[in-house]
Amino acid sequence: MGQESRSSSIIAGAHPSQSGGLQVIDYYLWALQRMYERGEDRFFESLAAGYRLIMDCDDTRQHDYGQYFTQSDRLTLEKMKPVTEARFGNNPGHTA
């Protein structure tokens, strides 16, 4: 069914200040988080072309596995499921 990988990986912990690559990834994740949590897309939009795949596992409106966004089907504020609905379902008694 799946493919077996014969490559090896080395995982090493590091602080973003020790690696420029981690700083870049941290900024990309921060911009995406800000879009989801605050509905603010100005930072995300400036980086949008650099995201190859975004998997929103909480947005099961169309598929049980969630929603995938790619460069040809980009994530936008209009396509996002609201954070409170995604986290807490349709529970009107719960406040975020």
Side-chain angles (χ1 to χ4, degrees):
M1 183 176 206
Q3 292 184 354
E4 182 179 325
S5 173
R6 298 188 188 275
S7 64
S8 62
S9 298
I10 298 173
I11 300 172
H15 291 282
S17 61
Q18 298 171 317
S19 171
L22 284 177
Q23 291 176 6
V24 171
I25 296 302
D26 190 42
Y27 188 78
Y28 270 78
L29 291 173
W30 173 82
L32 182 60
Q33 176 188 16
R34 193 166 182 98
M35 184 171 169
Y36 269 93
E37 291 187 354
R38 296 187 182 192
E40 185 178 335
D41 65 350
R42 64 185 171 139
F43 300 104
F44 176 83
E45 283 299 319
S46 67
L47 302 170
Y51 292 88
R52 289 188 182 193
L53 175 66
I54 297 171
M55 298 184 305
D56 186 346
C57 299
D58 290 327
D59 187 351
T60 55
R61 292 176 292 176
Q62 295 180 3
H63 308 287
D64 289 341
Y65 55 80
Q67 182 68 37
Y68 289 9
F69 298 98
T70 62
Q71 290 178 339
S72 62
D73 180 23
R74 288 187 33 204
L75 175 64
T76 63
L77 285 173
E78 295 76 29
K79 292 180 183 177
M80 286 177 30
K81 184 175 184 178
V83 172
T84 53
E85 184 182 342
R87 288 189 179 163
F88 307 114
N90 292 327
N91 183 353
H94 186 82
T95 56

